[in-house]
Amino acid sequence: MMDKMLIRVVQARISITIETKLSKKIMLDEANFEQRLATLEQTVADIKHRVINAPTSSNWLEKVIGSISDEPVFLEALEYGRSLRHADIQRFSGK
């Protein structure tokens, strides 16, 4: 009878220990999650603030000028346009 009672006490202590460790882990996970969420929310607020306060241009061309000028495909397209214009000039000038 004493052995059964001792076993129940040990089981109860093990159960309490496991529950305590689990609840601490859950609390740490929740605290970590809350901190990460707060950081994320602050980052989103900062980005919104930057976008709202960014200088805007009413001229769409100002936004585009120079944005692709160093791209190889753009340079290739420029050369293609030059060759077409040169061909048109030769065709219409009779040369």
Side-chain angles (χ1 to χ4, degrees):
M1 180 110 164
M2 188 66 140
D3 290 337
K4 288 183 180 181
M5 187 186 285
L6 182 61
I7 290 173
R8 285 185 187 161
V9 168
V10 170
Q11 286 175 338
R13 284 192 174 187
I14 290 173
S15 177
I16 290 171
T17 303
I18 291 171
E19 288 174 7
T20 303
K21 286 184 179 182
L22 285 175
S23 65
K24 284 181 182 178
K25 180 169 175 30
I26 290 169
M27 286 174 39
L28 289 175
D29 288 345
E30 287 177 15
N32 186 23
F33 175 77
E34 291 294 329
Q35 180 59 44
R36 292 176 68 194
L37 181 60
T39 302
L40 180 62
E41 288 173 340
Q42 183 60 49
T43 302
V44 170
D46 291 344
I47 291 170
K48 279 183 170 180
H49 181 72
R50 287 183 194 172
V51 168
I52 290 170
N53 294 326
T56 58
S57 173
S58 59
N59 185 352
W60 67 270
L61 191 55
E62 289 178 12
K63 295 178 183 177
V64 176
I65 290 176
S67 62
I68 60 169
S69 61
D70 60 343
E71 293 289 326
V73 174
F74 176 73
L75 299 174
E76 187 179 327
L78 284 178
E79 185 56 39
Y80 181 69
R82 281 188 198 107
S83 67
L84 288 177
R85 285 192 302 279
H86 184 69
D88 284 346
I89 290 171
Q90 287 182 345
R91 186 172 50 151
F92 290 114
S93 68
K95 293 183 181 179

